[in-house]
Amino acid sequence: MAGYPIKETIVEEGALESPMGRRILRHTPVRSIRRSLEGSTRDNMGKDALHLLHHRGEFLKPCPGTKEYICCGYQILNVATNCPLDCSYCILQSYFMNQPNLRIHVNLEENLSGILACIDNSPHQIFRVGTGEFADSLALDPIARWTDILMGPFSTRKNAVLEFKTKTTNIQGLIASPYRDRIIVSWSLNSPLIAATEEKGAATLKQRLEAAGKCQSEGFVVSFHFDPMIAHENWREGYLKTIELMDRYLNPKGIIWISMGSLRFMPDLKRIIRKRHPRSVILNGEFITGLDGKARYFKPIRMELFHFMREKLESWHRDTGLYLCMESNEIWRKTMGWSPGNSNGLKRFLDDRVRKIFG
Amino acid sequence: MDKSFDIPTTPIQFEKIAVNPGPSCMSFGFDMKPLLNSIKKIGLINSPILIKKRKGEGAVQYEVIAGFRRISALRALSLNPIPCRILPSETPSLDCLLINLYENLCSRDFNPVEKGMVLTRLLDLIPEREVLDTYMPLFDLPSHRETLHLFAGVEKMFDHQAKTLLASEYLSMKAAKLLIEMDGTERNMFCGYFSAVRFSKNQQTQFIDLVSDLSHIENSPVTCLLMDPRLKDIRDNPQMNNPQKARALITVLRKKRLPRLTKAETGFKQMVEKLALPPAFQIVPPPFFEGAQYRLEISFENGKDLKERLQFVANNERLAAFINPWKMNL
């Protein structure tokens, strides 16, 4: 099952009343099924326990961002929480420490019409929607079949795009789908060292880029996220190597956007990282407290990271929709040579990319 | 348990009462003086509660359930015998613990070490859920498992020195949380610094954080870093007072941990000094240089004074050389 061993499945009350819940259970080779949460394992955040439940809140929500930095105006489609990968820097470790297990919201299909109505009710707004904020978009797709559920409806809407963000090679569902329009397949990338040592369970960089190339050849628009960038020893050589790999496997003309963001984390996450990933090097950099209360690299270090990447990516191809995630106007100007000014400006820039690529 | 607590007092000789606090007692780091003064002035108000030991070996026949401090005070004042209330020897352990708990709750606050003592003993006697739901709120603690195990960890893992620091508020709970995850030797070394130098609460966590970070970065044990002669010299310097020592220790560590930031801070100070502004002017950088704007503060007496000072600033040719105090390696 996609390389992620599920040792047990926890089924919350009502979850099997949903067709999605029943379908998942039918196709899940599990060792045991429980209906209670008591005794649920927490040491590994329940990364080997599938948990089927109804999501009680809103499915579609704007990314909260923060007023202190420029945010892209993304919409999060909350189809699942937690992830079978175990990246040392993952923010979900603190978000979901008390909500363990790979939680799949099996009432997605019942709520889909409401989600789409919300999009249809604002025809002049472009909804850039992603499922990869609280979970990897594709890691559990062979079980959850989100590609089956979501690609059709999103593909037919002219004011929305759906981005599947992943570090896996689980593209079977995408490829099998007849839909291509308005679908973006996206990979998180990093330097080879970080990908190999800090992204446990993820596909290698080469595998990710091969999968991206395959998606391009299958007619998909792709995007990439260098986030979190880590200022590790010899990071320049490392990130350059990744760009060289991109050049080997990808056609840059088919890229809708590439984002860059440096490592940032709420102070509480540090303890969790030290405990869960004692060999990690990601906390070794020079961090300060940012305007949003999160730890982030001292400004000149971020500037060096972004300036270097911008220069190298632009020398590969000038039009990849390069943008910064959660950065200040000053950093934008000094590293990118321009700034969207504020979150609305960045939203407009990315919406224009959608129009340019998808029409 | 019978809800009424009407037990007559019986005079008991010191020699028959255990010298150490029993498993129901939960006092740590208390100051005896106020109690001694109170007993001297008006005598014993509330009789201690004892339990008859199941096997009365030797002279000691009673264990203290509640009132260990009072008994200690009475011992110190040589007031013998002591009027005590005696519980039957078959009284369940939980009842004994709760008698002590509720008696103390009515009359005083518990320090973090004492909270840890009570919660740990409760965990031995009742389900964790009940401790979380019923007893955590009694101590104004959230009913979180993590908090419960933090306090229990203090009881189980902290030695006397660490407990004393915590009970006397020389160690914050936030710092204790960081220390609990260390091994005993590391914890003891940190506590050595915290008893020698009175750090503020923020400085405690900063100190632990900086040392732990450097230990990871340099792949060097915390104990080695804390043995660094530069740190020990500051800690043991008789010429420095506590705030000076704390600041100096943090400065040494920050310089090592955050070389570019500390260099920028030094560069900023030097640039401001070069401007040679009078004391009425102060340039304030954004915290950690993260924001884009510096702030100029000007003190003035009246509008004329302000105008002159603004003029002075405007005419300061050196201001044009004021730039961000860091070099970039682009």
Side-chain angles (χ1 to χ4, degrees), chain A residues 131-145:
Chain A
T131 55
E133 289 300 303
F134 299 137
D136 184 286
S137 291
L138 296 177
L140 295 176
D141 190 55
I143 298 174
R145 306 300 299 183

Side-chain angles (χ1 to χ4, degrees), chain B residues 84-255:
Chain B
C84 295
R85 288 170 287 175
I86 314 296
L87 294 175
S89 56
E90 65 274 14
T91 310
S93 301
L94 180 61
D95 289 359
C96 294
L97 184 61
L98 294 182
I99 287 167
N100 185 309
L101 172 63
Y102 282 99
E103 198 208 41
N104 279 291
L105 271 175
C106 297
S107 56
R108 67 182 180 94
D109 289 333
F110 283 71
N111 64 46
V113 177
E114 293 170 330
K115 289 177 185 177
M117 290 163 82
V118 183
L119 294 169
T120 305
R121 287 170 199 176
L122 284 168
L123 280 172
D124 288 340
L125 299 168
I126 55 174
E128 182 185 274
R129 190 72 260 163
E130 194 180 337
V131 179
L132 285 167
D133 293 342
T134 309
Y135 294 99
M136 297 287 276
L138 293 179
F139 297 119
D140 290 327
L141 296 174
S143 297
H144 295 162
R145 209 167 165 262
E146 196 187 354
T147 310
L148 171 61
H149 288 280
L150 170 62
F151 279 87
V154 165
E155 166 62 5
K156 284 178 187 159
M157 296 166 77
F158 273 25
D159 66 4
H160 189 79
Q161 183 190 25
K163 282 182 178 172
T164 305
L165 285 169
L166 188 60
S168 54
E169 297 185 355
Y170 288 134
L171 182 69
S172 72
M173 209 52 215
K174 208 170 167 186
K177 190 175 175 179
L178 298 174
L179 293 181
I180 250 169
E181 286 168 6
M182 295 178 185
D183 72 39
T185 316
E186 290 176 349
R187 191 162 48 239
N188 287 345
M189 288 197 73
F190 272 114
C191 287
Y193 275 86
F194 294 143
S195 29
V197 182
R198 299 284 186 243
F199 288 84
S200 71
K201 287 182 179 178
N202 280 344
Q203 284 172 331
Q204 286 168 16
T205 45
Q206 205 181 355
F207 184 69
I208 296 171
D209 215 31
L210 287 165
V211 173
S212 305
D213 277 0
L214 287 168
S215 162
H216 276 92
I217 294 167
E218 297 176 0
N219 199 19
S220 168
V222 162
T223 44
C224 285
L225 290 168
L226 290 174
M227 295 284 275
D228 185 326
R230 280 175 304 173
L231 298 184
K232 284 173 73 181
D233 287 352
I234 294 169
R235 184 190 66 185
D236 304 330
N237 186 342
Q239 308 300 320
M240 296 168 94
N241 63 27
N242 269 318
Q244 285 172 329
K245 285 181 182 181
R247 273 198 303 273
L249 286 166
I250 300 278
T251 301
V252 169
L253 293 168
R254 267 186 104 236
K255 206 168 172 178

Side-chain angles (χ1 to χ4, degrees), chain A residues 191 229-240 301 304-306 308-309, chain B residues 329:
Chain A
S191 73
M229 291 188 70
I230 312 281
H232 61 81
E233 209 175 347
N234 301 323
W235 60 264
R236 285 180 182 79
E237 289 83 345
Y239 284 104
L240 188 57
I301 300 172
E304 286 166 14
L305 284 166
F306 300 145
F308 174 85
M309 286 299 276
Chain B
N329 188 12

Side-chain angles (χ1 to χ4, degrees), chain A residues 159-210:
Chain A
N159 65 330
V161 288
L162 177 64
E163 186 175 44
F164 290 103
K165 204 186 284 182
T166 188
K167 288 191 197 94
T168 74
T169 54
N170 288 348
I171 55 172
Q172 311 88 318
L174 293 163
I175 304 287
S177 166
Y179 303 103
R180 298 291 183 269
D181 197 21
R182 306 262 149 192
I183 303 298
I184 301 165
V185 197
S186 173
W187 275 267
S188 295
L189 298 177
N190 224 304
S191 73
L193 176 82
I194 296 300
T197 58
E198 306 281 351
E199 297 178 342
K200 199 171 142 195
T204 65
L205 273 182
K206 186 169 166 270
Q207 288 167 336
R208 285 180 228 179
L209 292 168
E210 274 174 347

Side-chain angles (χ1 to χ4, degrees), chain A residues 69 271 274 299 302 304, chain B residues 181 213 260 289-290 329:
Chain A
Y69 295 101
R271 248 184 78 238
R274 288 266 190 248
K299 193 154 68 179
R302 289 175 6 239
E304 286 166 14
Chain B
E181 286 168 6
D213 277 0
R260 291 183 68 169
F289 303 101
E290 177 61 11
N329 188 12

